């Protein structure tokens, strides 16, 4: 029996949450090069809350040789809520516990809290708070342990296939998100 539904945020709950294209334009470099520099500057550590955004940009300057005069992660983050998914979450909460399970960074998390976007969820498990990021299976284990449920009692929804496979590998019923209408249909088939 399903007791918990876990939603990813960027690409599922939010559209246009990825700020890397905007940062690339701001810095005047290709997105691929920005991502290469970002990974070498500790992007995963930033996502897991192990370094601050300022630490990241300081490292980025050393790695890239570029000067970054302001904190761009937060400056350029202004995602739109996917209304189909938002409404689906409201309906699901009438029968299930619904949480967010997201890879995020402190500047984005703070903006989401300030905007009040996360109040639609019963709880939010953010990588920068729990110290693990998807697709690491420990990310999912921490959520399951906190919620005191078995993997087969949870459904996970994400737009990134590697994250879906990771959750599925633990025995969580995982759905690869494409759009809100298809998600509603898949969830109805899965949980009734």
């Amino acid at each position: 029996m399903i007791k918990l539904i876990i939603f990813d945020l960027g690409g599922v709950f939010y559209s246009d949450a990825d700020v890397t294209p905007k940062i690339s334009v701001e810095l005047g470099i290709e997105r691929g090069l920005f991502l290469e520099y970002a990974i070498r500057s500790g992007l995963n550590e930033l996502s897991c809350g192990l370094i601050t955004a300022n630490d990241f940009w300081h490292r980025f300057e050393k790695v890239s040789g570029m000067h970054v005069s302001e904190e761009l992660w937060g400056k350029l983050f202004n995602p739109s809520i996917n209304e189909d998914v938002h409404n689906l979450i409201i309906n699901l909460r009438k029968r299930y516990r619904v949480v967010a399970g997201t890879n995020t960074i402190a500047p984005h998390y703070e903006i989401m809290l300030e905007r009040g976007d996360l109040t639609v969820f019963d709880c939010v498990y953010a990588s920068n708070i729990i110290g693990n990021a998807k697709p690491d299976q420990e990310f999912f284990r921490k959520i399951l342990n906190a919620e005191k449920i078995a993997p087969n009692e949870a459904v996970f929804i994400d737009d990134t296939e590697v994250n879906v496979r990771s959750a599925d590998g633990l025995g969580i019923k995982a759905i690869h998100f494409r759009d809100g209408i298809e998600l509603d249909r898949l969830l109805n088939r899965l949980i009734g």
Side-chain angles (χ1 to χ4, degrees):
M1 181 169 95
I2 299 301
K3 296 181 179 175
L4 179 72
I5 303 174
I6 308 164
F7 278 84
D8 173 43
L9 293 182
V12 178
F13 180 72
Y14 289 118
S15 53
D16 67 346
D18 180 5
V19 296
T20 60
K22 294 176 187 175
I23 292 175
S24 301
V25 168
E26 185 90 8
L27 296 175
I29 60 175
E30 294 291 320
R31 182 174 180 264
L33 183 58
F34 170 72
L35 288 172
E36 178 187 324
Y37 290 155
I39 290 166
R40 291 174 42 207
S41 302
L43 183 58
N44 188 60
E45 292 168 272
L46 181 64
S47 294
C48 292
L50 301 174
I51 63 171
T52 67
N54 287 337
D55 294 334
F56 170 86
W57 289 115
H58 182 70
R59 289 180 179 186
F60 184 88
E61 287 184 341
K62 287 182 177 179
V63 167
S64 69
M66 302 175 72
H67 175 68
V68 181
S69 61
E70 56 191 327
E71 201 294 287
L72 298 175
W73 293 114
K75 174 187 175 186
L76 301 172
F77 184 69
N78 187 25
S80 303
I81 293 174
N82 181 331
E83 290 302 324
D84 289 340
V85 174
H86 184 267
N87 293 334
L88 178 60
I89 291 166
I90 291 169
N91 288 329
L92 287 168
R93 282 190 64 197
K94 295 173 186 171
R95 297 177 13 216
Y96 301 96
R97 183 159 167 83
V98 180
V99 302
T102 185
N103 285 355
T104 193
I105 60 176
H108 293 179
Y109 186 68
E110 291 162 11
I111 290 168
M112 292 183 279
L113 288 175
E114 286 171 13
R115 290 179 14 165
D117 296 350
L118 305 179
T119 59
V120 72
F121 295 100
D122 290 306
C123 187
V124 176
Y125 296 96
S127 63
N128 66 305
I129 303 293
I130 67 173
N132 294 92
K134 299 174 282 185
D136 183 348
Q137 288 187 335
E138 190 59 27
F139 176 88
F140 300 106
R141 285 188 195 99
K142 285 184 175 180
I143 295 173
L144 297 173
N145 289 338
E147 295 290 329
K148 297 177 176 52
I149 63 163
N152 66 352
E153 295 174 316
V155 174
F156 172 66
I157 300 138
D158 199 302
D159 63 315
T160 304
E161 190 153 341
V162 67
N163 297 340
V164 171
R165 284 195 311 268
S166 179
D168 186 63
L170 280 175
I172 297 170
K173 292 169 181 58
I175 296 173
H176 188 195
F177 178 83
R178 289 178 180 77
D179 64 61
I181 295 166
E182 180 190 34
L183 175 59
D184 191 27
R185 185 179 55 77
L186 291 171
L187 278 171
N188 279 328
R189 187 183 313 150
L190 188 63
I191 61 180

